[in-house]
C-alpha cells in the first residue's frame, strides 16, 4: 500500500469530528464536492468504506473509526516533526560543538554561554577546551562548530567576533623587588627572566604579549604548558609572567603578586570564531547572543 496522503487524512479527521460534510467543508474552507471527492479517494486508497452517508450527515464505519484514530495520532506526530524541523532550522534545537580556550574561562566568555543556554534550552552544548591553534585547526577540520580564540588570526574561511578585551597583568614572585610598586614600567621589567607557554599554542597572542610587555626583547628562560603552570613557576621564584587579568585573578596562587604595567596598557582579545563554510543555524544563534545588551561591539572579519 502506498503511504496515505496527510492532507486527505486531515480532511477525514475533521469530517470524523463534525459527521457532516457541509460543516466539515466550511471548517476546511473547501467546497463540499471537493471534500466528498477527497474522502472517496481516501476510501479507494484504504480499500474500504470509511463513512456511511445519511440525509442529515454521516457516520463512521468500523474501519473509519480506526482510520480516524490512527490519522489523529499520525497528524499530531507530523506536526511535532515539523515543529522540530523548524526549530532546528532556526537554531533553537540541535547541538553545538564548542571549544573553549584555556586562557579565557570565566568573565564574559562563561556569561555568554550561560545566556545562550538559558535562551536555547533545547540546544545541547558539547564543550571541549584547548589552545588557540588546536581550536582553529578543529574549526577547519569540522570537529568544532565554534571556538573561542585569541586574535589576531587570518586563516582563510575562519571568521570571528570580539567577545572581550582583557588587560595583561604582570605576575611577580611575592618577594620580588617590583612587587612593592603599584605599576611596573617596561624598563623595569626588561631583562627580567620570564616564563611563557610555547609560541605554537597561539602565535598571534604570543607575539602580541611580547611586543606589548617586552618591546625591546624578552629574556625567556622557561616554558610551561598553560597559565596555571606559569603562575606556579612564578610562585616558585626566579621568573615573571604576563597573564590575562581574568585568568590571573581566577587562578590566584599563594606567593604570586599581580601588578599593572604603566601606559600604554597591554591588552589581549578573546574572540568567538566559526568556519564560514560550515556555519549552522545554531552557530548563528550563538553569534546573535553577542548582540544582546551589555555585550561589547563586534570585531574582526
Amino acid at each position: 500500500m502506498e503511504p496515505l496522503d496527510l492532507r486527505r487524512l486531515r480532511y477525514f479527521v475533521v469530517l470524523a469530528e463534525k459527521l457532516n460534510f457541509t460543516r466539515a467543508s466550511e471548517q476546511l474552507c473547501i467546497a463540499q464536492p471537493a471534500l466528498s471527492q477527497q474522502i472517496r479517494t481516501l476510501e479507494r486508497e484504504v480499500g474500504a468504506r470509511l463513512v456511511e452517508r445519511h440525509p442529515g450527515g454521516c457516520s463512521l464505519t468500523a474501519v473509519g473509526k480506526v482510520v480516524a484514530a490512527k490519522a489523529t495520532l499520525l497528524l499530531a506526530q507530523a506536526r511535532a516533526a515539523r515543529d522540530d524541523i523548524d526549530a532546528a532550522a532556526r537554531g533553537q534545537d540541535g547541538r553545538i560543538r564548542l571549544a573553549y580556550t584555556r586562557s579565557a574561562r570565566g568573565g564574559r566568555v562563561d556569561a555568554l554561554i550561560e545566556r545562550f543556554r538559558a535562551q536555547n534550552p533545547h540546544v545541547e552544548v558539547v564543550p571541549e577546551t584547548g589552545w588557540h591553534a588546536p581550536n582553529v585547526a578543529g574549526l577547519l577540520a569540522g570537529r568544532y562548530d565554534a571556538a573561542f580564540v585569541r586574535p589576531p588570526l587570518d586563516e582563510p574561511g575562519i571568521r570571528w567576533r570580539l567577545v572581550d578585551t582583557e588587560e595583561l597583568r604582570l605576575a611577580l614572585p611575592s618577594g620580588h623587588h617590583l612587587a612593592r610598586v603599584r605599576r611596573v614600567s617596561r624598563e623595569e621589567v626588561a631583562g627580567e627572566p620570564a616564563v611563557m607557554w610555547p609560541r605554537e599554542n597561539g602565535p598571534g597572542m604570543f607575539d602580541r604579549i611580547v611586543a606589548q610587555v617586552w618591546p625591546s626583547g624578552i629574556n625567556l628562560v622557561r616554558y610551561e604548558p598553560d597559565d596555571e603552570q606559569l603562575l606556579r613557576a612564578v610562585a616558585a621564584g626566579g621568573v615573571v609572567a604576563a597573564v590575562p587579568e581574568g585568568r590571573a585573578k581566577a587562578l590566584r596562587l599563594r606567593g604570586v603578586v599581580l601588578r599593572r604595567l604603566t601606559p600604554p596598557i597591554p591588552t589581549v582579545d578573546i574572540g568567538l570564531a566559526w568556519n564560514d563554510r560550515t556555519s549552522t543555524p545554531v552557530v548563528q544563534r550563538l553569534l546573535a547572543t553577542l548582540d544582546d545588551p551589555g555585550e561589547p561591539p563586534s570585531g574582526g572579519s
Side-chain angles (χ1 to χ4, degrees):
M1 178 185 292
E2 293 294 323
L4 297 176
D5 186 281
L6 290 179
R7 183 185 58 173
R8 292 193 188 100
L9 289 177
R10 183 168 68 87
Y11 289 169
F12 182 68
V13 166
V14 173
L15 179 61
E17 292 173 352
K18 301 298 184 182
L19 294 177
N20 184 285
F21 277 86
T22 300
R23 290 198 294 269
S25 62
E26 289 173 351
Q27 179 171 325
L28 292 166
C29 297
I30 64 173
Q32 182 175 329
L35 176 60
S36 296
Q37 179 60 43
Q38 292 293 329
I39 299 304
R40 283 194 292 269
T41 301
L42 180 60
E43 288 178 323
R44 286 197 299 270
E45 291 175 341
V46 172
R49 186 178 294 278
L50 303 180
V51 297
E52 295 289 350
R53 291 162 175 80
H54 309 298
C58 63
S59 60
L60 301 182
T61 65
V63 176
K65 292 177 181 178
V66 172
V67 172
K70 296 299 183 181
T72 300
L73 178 60
L74 183 60
L75 290 170
Q77 292 172 337
R79 284 193 296 270
R82 178 74 252 185
D83 290 344
D84 289 345
I85 292 170
D86 289 343
R90 294 192 301 270
Q92 295 175 330
D93 204 350
R95 71 172 187 161
I96 183 169
R97 299 164 299 170
L98 178 68
Y100 291 95
T101 180
R102 293 184 182 279
S103 63
R105 291 306 304 272
R108 290 191 174 180
V109 168
D110 283 2
L112 170 66
I113 299 305
E114 286 306 310
R115 187 163 60 254
F116 175 77
R117 288 179 186 271
Q119 293 174 356
N120 303 274
H122 299 296
V123 173
E124 178 187 10
V125 178
V126 183
E128 293 188 27
T129 300
W131 278 99
H132 167 95
N135 286 358
V136 173
L139 287 175
L140 291 170
R143 291 195 305 274
Y144 305 132
D145 299 307
F148 289 101
V149 295
R150 287 293 191 178
L153 70 162
D154 56 4
E155 285 76 3
I158 300 298
R159 301 182 63 192
W160 65 278
R161 295 273 307 275
L162 181 67
V163 175
D164 200 7
T165 297
E166 292 184 277
E167 181 177 343
L168 285 169
R169 293 294 184 95
L170 188 66
L172 301 159
S174 56
H176 196 283
H177 68 278
L178 291 178
R180 297 191 295 271
V181 302
R182 293 186 61 186
R183 286 183 179 264
V184 179
S185 69
R186 271 68 169 179
E187 293 76 14
E188 289 173 313
V189 76
E192 290 287 336
V195 57
M196 282 282 285
W197 33 262
R199 184 178 181 275
E200 56 265 27
N201 289 354
M205 182 180 179
F206 185 102
D207 294 343
R208 180 170 174 173
I209 290 175
V210 172
Q212 292 182 97
V213 180
W214 293 277
S216 58
I218 185 173
N219 179 19
L220 186 56
V221 300
R222 181 171 173 178
Y223 289 103
E224 292 292 344
D226 54 37
D227 289 328
E228 181 175 0
Q229 297 307 315
L230 294 188
L231 294 176
R232 292 191 183 281
V234 171
V239 292
V240 302
V243 183
E245 181 180 21
R247 191 66 174 150
K249 289 183 175 180
L251 293 172
R252 283 195 180 276
L253 297 179
R254 185 185 300 274
V256 177
V257 174
L258 301 177
R259 290 294 178 261
R260 301 183 71 184
L261 287 154
T262 55
I265 303 300
T267 61
V268 289
D269 295 331
I270 176 68
L272 178 63
W274 70 99
N275 189 329
D276 209 29
R277 293 187 294 271
T278 58
S279 179
T280 67
V282 176
V283 171
Q284 295 306 310
R285 290 193 68 83
L286 176 58
L287 294 173
T289 307
L290 276 173
D291 297 323
D292 286 353
E295 284 300 307
S298 62
S301 60

